[in-house]
Amino acid sequence: KAMCRGKLQTGLLVAGYFVYLLVGAAVFQALERTAEKQEKMAAAQMKEAFLQSFRQLTVVEMEQFMKNLTEAIQNGVYPVGNESRFEESNWDFSNSFFFAGTVVSTIGYGTLHPRTVGGQIFCVFFALFGIPLNIVFLHRVGKMLSLLCKKLGKFLYEKGMRKKKIKFLTLLFFLATGILVFLCLPSVFFQITEGWSYSEGIYFAFITLSTIGFGDYVVGKQSGRNYFSYYRVLVAIWILFGLAWIALLFNL
């Protein structure tokens, strides 16, 4: 009964956690998408006005243009080629889910952030409850993985191995497996999908899973690349389970 109850609690926690992220993604999308479209329209108008009169611009007008362009880029609007097309949004569901995941995991790349008052206020409360929920989720997943450690240790103990050696081999096994699954293989995937070098993929994976999150490399932001649907959702799930693996290493 205790085992069944534990599995039920784990299942409810995992389901509740992902429902929380999905609801957060939907709310961020609803709050931010319209404001982003207005910013794209303003950037497109600014670009058109510049192209029509750039030969007659004064130094002051040029400085103002550069200021407006910088603000547009900081807000995630890139008025280059077709990047300002209104049907493409940084706040589609995939990007919104990815953002929600980076909020609760405290990575915070800084390349995507809420601009509306409603979005900013919601982000505060979403993080306020989401960060503790993320800690509980990672603890539970780490606990499930630690059961695998115990089973592996028990198997080795039955083979006549000493406890110190078992602890060392268990740590080595999960360290090597995690490096392969969460660092090496994803880096190949990023190399193919993003066009990065393999070393850049390793760098991005480490900076992300360590929650440093500089924001110099972010998935799904390469201009001119066609990403498959829910690409960033898969990356967000990789981040969550990668963080659980790191939590397991600390427990070990």
Side-chain angles (χ1 to χ4, degrees):
K1 287 183 179 180
M3 187 178 293
C4 291
R5 190 181 301 113
K7 289 182 179 179
L8 178 62
Q9 289 175 350
T10 300
L12 290 174
L13 175 63
V14 172
Y17 181 74
F18 279 98
V19 167
Y20 188 81
L21 291 181
L22 290 171
V23 171
V27 174
F28 281 121
Q29 183 182 18
L31 292 173
E32 296 295 326
R33 198 165 189 174
T34 302
E36 182 201 35
K37 188 174 181 179
Q38 293 173 351
E39 288 182 356
K40 285 190 173 185
M41 291 177 65
Q45 292 171 358
M46 178 187 68
K47 179 181 177 181
E48 185 178 349
F50 174 78
L51 292 174
Q52 290 177 354
S53 59
F54 72 96
R55 292 179 181 176
Q56 290 81 31
L57 288 177
T58 64
V59 174
V60 175
E61 290 172 333
M62 178 61 77
E63 289 292 332
Q64 185 62 43
F65 171 79
M66 295 301 294
K67 181 181 178 182
N68 293 340
L69 181 62
T70 302
E71 289 179 355
I73 293 173
Q74 288 175 344
N75 294 334
V77 178
Y78 301 91
V80 179
N82 292 328
E83 284 295 305
S84 59
R85 287 187 300 180
F86 303 135
E87 64 271 14
E88 295 180 358
S89 175
N90 290 321
W91 290 100
D92 59 17
F93 190 78
S94 178
N95 287 335
S96 299
F97 185 88
F98 181 78
F99 173 75
T102 59
V103 168
V104 298
S105 61
T106 70
I107 294 173
Y109 291 114
T111 54
L112 186 65
H113 52 275
R115 296 291 299 168
T116 64
V117 175
Q120 291 172 347
I121 293 175
F122 176 74
C123 187
V124 170
F125 287 98
F126 181 76
L128 188 64
F129 293 100
I131 292 173
L133 177 61
N134 183 64
I135 293 172
V136 173
F137 173 78
L138 294 180
H139 176 73
R140 181 55 64 95
V141 174
K143 194 174 180 181
M144 290 171 61
L145 292 175
S146 66
L147 293 176
L148 296 176
C149 293
K150 289 181 180 179
K151 288 182 180 180
L152 177 62
K154 186 178 180 181
F155 173 77
L156 294 176
Y157 184 74
E158 290 174 352
K159 294 294 182 181
M161 203 171 284
R162 290 181 300 174
K163 287 186 177 181
K164 286 186 177 180
K165 193 173 183 181
I166 289 173
K167 288 182 179 180
F168 172 75
L169 289 177
T170 301
L171 177 60
L172 184 63
F173 172 76
F174 277 92
L175 178 63
T177 303
I179 289 174
L180 177 65
V181 173
F182 294 108
L183 291 178
C184 296
L185 293 180
S187 298
V188 175
F189 178 70
F190 295 136
Q191 184 180 15
I192 296 170
T193 309
E194 298 288 344
W196 298 336
S197 66
Y198 186 73
S199 60
E200 288 174 324
I202 289 283
Y203 169 77
F204 167 77
F206 176 78
I207 292 299
T208 295
L209 295 184
S210 61
T211 69
I212 295 172
F214 288 126
D216 49 350
Y217 288 84
V218 182
V219 295
K221 302 295 288 185
Q222 293 286 338
S223 160
R225 283 191 171 268
N226 293 320
Y227 299 100
F228 60 87
S229 299
Y230 300 108
Y231 165 57
R232 300 189 95 190
V233 171
L234 292 177
V235 175
I237 293 172
W238 161 74
I239 290 173
L240 298 175
F241 284 95
L243 292 176
W245 165 65
I246 290 178
L248 171 66
L249 288 183
F250 281 120
N251 288 335
L252 290 176

